[in-house]
């Protein structure tokens, strides 16, 4: 018995088995919402998909009864929302410009409260997420010498801006992009924030924003519209960043990178291959960190091997953001619509 087992054990040691993601071969698409609107932020709460867009509009789609949706205008002044998030009880929408306004909504969107407002000529908030029912974070462009970061510890009732004495200092011309509500990512107590422009870097806190470190990346940088536009982490170690040059959307080098050490180091993948500019990347659930989907100006792309190779599954160039409901189903939004995407094996 020992003689028969030993060769197998040696083989596994030299050639360890790898977990392979399910390979998607096609997609089925259904338009579940259509309106003249620009949507860059989606968030699930139970069986409801919330979205936020331009002209101060926040809405939802009931997933158990598609096309049963609601739309509200949050203010007589029209703002543009690029961030929406839920803490399990309330829904939050944050506008990008001056003044920045953060509203807390009831789950049916019938009640709203202004919980944070910031006035500054440089204010521009990009993304917002919650760790849990009490703690959340939103990030934006710098108004001082660091990225703007506001945090709540009381369920979103109040928000405080992090001092630049705590957050790492940025370089001149470094900022963030409000492309898809995905340049802040949370896992456990961790938070990662990505930047672009003159520098493409990853800011990391392992204690919910109380202290920070910053890491360089090989993503293209140096111009106003270059850098990291989107990020996702499968767990506390495996992460992916993407972006590129917004002004040169088919440029497909130095625009996608992978980490396996929690964001400390990043390695370019599929350089000069597949898509160019990407506005959103998401890991496929239950894929062991192997499967990824991106949306951008060249459509929907899919990788089953941690970003090494990609295939185009959808040529729609009008999508800005995407979120997975489960391992085979995602919802994507962009110009004038929200679509349901079913991934077929």
């Amino acid at each position: 018995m020992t003689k028969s087992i030993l060769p197998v054990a040696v083989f596994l040691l030299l050639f360890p088995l790898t977990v392979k993601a399910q390979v998607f071969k096609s997609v089925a698409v259904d338009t579940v919402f259509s309106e003249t609107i620009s949507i860059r932020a989606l968030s699930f709460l139970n069986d409801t998909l919330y979205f936020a867009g331009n002209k101060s509009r926040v809405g939802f789609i009931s997933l158990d009864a598609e096309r049963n949706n609601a739309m509200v205008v949050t203010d007589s002044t029209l703002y543009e929302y690029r961030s929406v998030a839920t803490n399990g009880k309330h829904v939050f929408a944050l506008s990008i410009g001056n003044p920045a306004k953060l509203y807390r909504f009831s789950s049916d969107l019938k009640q709203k409260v202004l919980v944070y407002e910031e006035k500054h000529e440089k204010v521009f908030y990009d993304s917002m997420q919650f760790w849990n029912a009490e703690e959340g974070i939103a990030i934006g462009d710098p108004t001082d010498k660091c990225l703007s970061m506001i945090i709540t510890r009381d369920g979103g009732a109040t928000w405080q801006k992090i001092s630049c004495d705590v957050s790492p200092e940025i370089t001149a011309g470094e900022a963030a992009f409000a492309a898809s509500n995905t340049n802040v990512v949370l896992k456990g107590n961790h938070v990662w924030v990505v930047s672009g422009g003159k520098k493409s870097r990853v800011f990391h806190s392992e204690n919910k924003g109380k202290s920070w470190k910053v890491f360089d990346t090989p993503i293209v940088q140096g111009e106003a519209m270059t850098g990291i536009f989107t990020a996702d982490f499968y767990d506390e170690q495996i992460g992916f960043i993407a972006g590129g040059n917004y002004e040169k959307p088919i440029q497909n080098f130095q625009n996608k990178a992978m980490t396996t050490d929690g964001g400390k180091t990043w390695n370019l993948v599929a350089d000069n291959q597949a898509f160019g500019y990407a506005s959103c990347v998401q890991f496929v659930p239950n894929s062991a960190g192997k499967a990824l989907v991106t949306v951008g100006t060249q459509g929907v792309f899919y990788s089953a091997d941690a970003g090494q190779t990609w295939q185009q599954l959808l040529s729609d160039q009008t999508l800005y953001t995407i979120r997975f409901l489960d391992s085979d189903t995602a919802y994507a939004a962009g110009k004038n619509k929200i679509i349901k995407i079913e991934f077929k094996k």
Side-chain angles (χ1 to χ4, degrees):
M1 180 178 293
T2 303
K3 290 182 180 181
S4 63
I5 292 176
L6 184 58
V8 175
V10 172
F11 177 84
L12 291 175
L13 181 63
L14 295 176
F15 304 99
L17 294 176
T18 58
V19 179
K20 296 186 68 176
Q22 292 284 355
V23 177
F24 297 137
K25 297 181 179 179
S26 63
V27 294
V29 176
D30 181 28
T31 300
V32 297
F33 177 78
S34 180
E35 181 71 45
T36 303
I37 186 174
S38 177
I39 301 172
R40 292 183 180 269
L42 298 171
S43 185
F44 290 108
L45 176 58
N46 300 324
D47 61 352
T48 303
L49 175 65
Y50 291 90
F51 61 90
N54 60 346
K55 298 182 180 179
S56 296
R57 289 175 292 181
V58 179
F60 66 77
I61 296 171
S62 298
L63 301 182
D64 61 351
E66 291 181 358
R67 299 177 180 83
N68 176 19
N69 55 69
M71 178 79 74
V72 298
V73 176
T74 64
D75 203 293
S76 58
T77 303
L78 297 182
Y79 300 102
E80 183 166 354
Y81 293 107
R82 301 284 185 93
S83 305
V84 68
T86 65
N87 67 346
K89 181 179 180 181
H90 294 102
V91 179
F92 297 81
L94 175 60
S95 66
I96 57 174
N98 185 24
K101 290 197 172 188
L102 175 52
Y103 284 98
R104 184 187 70 191
F105 293 86
S106 57
S107 60
D108 60 7
L109 303 184
K110 293 181 179 180
Q111 298 177 335
K112 71 176 188 294
V113 178
L114 181 65
V115 292
Y116 182 81
E117 183 175 12
E118 184 176 341
K119 297 179 180 180
H120 193 285
E121 62 181 359
K122 295 182 179 180
V123 68
F124 197 102
Y125 278 94
D126 306 285
S127 188
M128 174 175 51
Q129 304 290 343
F130 276 83
W131 283 283
N132 51 51
E134 297 299 318
E135 298 170 294
I137 185 172
I139 68 100
D141 290 350
T143 58
D144 198 351
K145 60 182 180 180
C146 65
L147 290 175
S148 295
M149 299 185 188
I150 57 174
I151 285 184
T152 181
R153 309 284 187 192
D154 59 5
T158 62
W159 297 73
Q160 289 76 40
K161 194 164 187 177
I162 297 177
S163 168
C164 287
D165 294 333
V166 176
S167 179
E169 186 172 344
I170 60 161
T171 60
E174 184 178 13
F177 296 114
S180 58
N181 197 35
T182 55
N183 55 9
V184 57
V185 184
L186 311 181
K187 290 289 180 182
N189 293 331
H190 295 258
V191 53
W192 296 267
V193 175
V194 296
S195 70
K198 295 297 183 180
K199 281 282 190 178
S200 297
R201 300 194 292 174
V202 173
F203 299 76
H204 175 229
S205 170
E206 59 185 13
N207 52 19
K208 297 181 180 177
K210 295 176 183 177
S211 62
W212 294 83
K213 294 181 180 178
V214 60
F215 304 104
D216 293 327
T217 78
I219 296 295
V220 63
Q221 52 201 279
E223 300 178 30
M225 299 306 293
T226 59
I228 310 168
F229 283 76
T230 177
D232 195 24
F233 272 76
Y234 185 79
D235 54 27
E236 295 179 1
Q237 298 299 316
I238 301 172
F240 199 89
I241 52 178
N245 189 330
Y246 183 80
E247 297 176 322
K248 299 177 181 179
I250 64 172
Q251 180 176 295
N252 64 356
F253 59 85
Q254 293 179 255
N255 69 323
K256 35 197 169 322
M258 191 88 176
T259 184
T260 56
D261 60 8
K264 297 179 180 65
T265 60
W266 296 87
N267 296 305
L268 291 173
V269 295
D271 222 23
N272 291 293
Q273 299 177 44
F275 55 88
Y277 164 75
S279 62
C280 188
V281 63
Q282 293 286 280
F283 279 98
V284 179
N286 304 315
S287 67
K290 300 291 185 181
L292 294 143
V293 170
T294 67
V295 299
T297 54
Q298 292 175 283
V300 176
F301 280 75
Y302 164 72
S303 173
D305 55 8
Q308 299 299 317
T309 61
W310 297 83
Q311 61 175 315
Q312 186 186 51
L313 293 180
L314 194 62
S315 61
D316 191 335
Q317 301 178 6
T318 65
L319 301 172
Y320 307 141
T321 191
I322 187 169
R323 295 293 185 281
F324 275 87
L325 177 66
D326 55 42
S327 300
D328 303 310
T329 309
Y331 287 78
K335 183 179 180 181
N336 302 335
K337 65 187 176 185
I338 299 174
I339 64 173
K340 179 183 179 181
I341 304 176
E342 293 184 83
F343 292 85
K344 305 295 186 179
K345 299 180 180 66

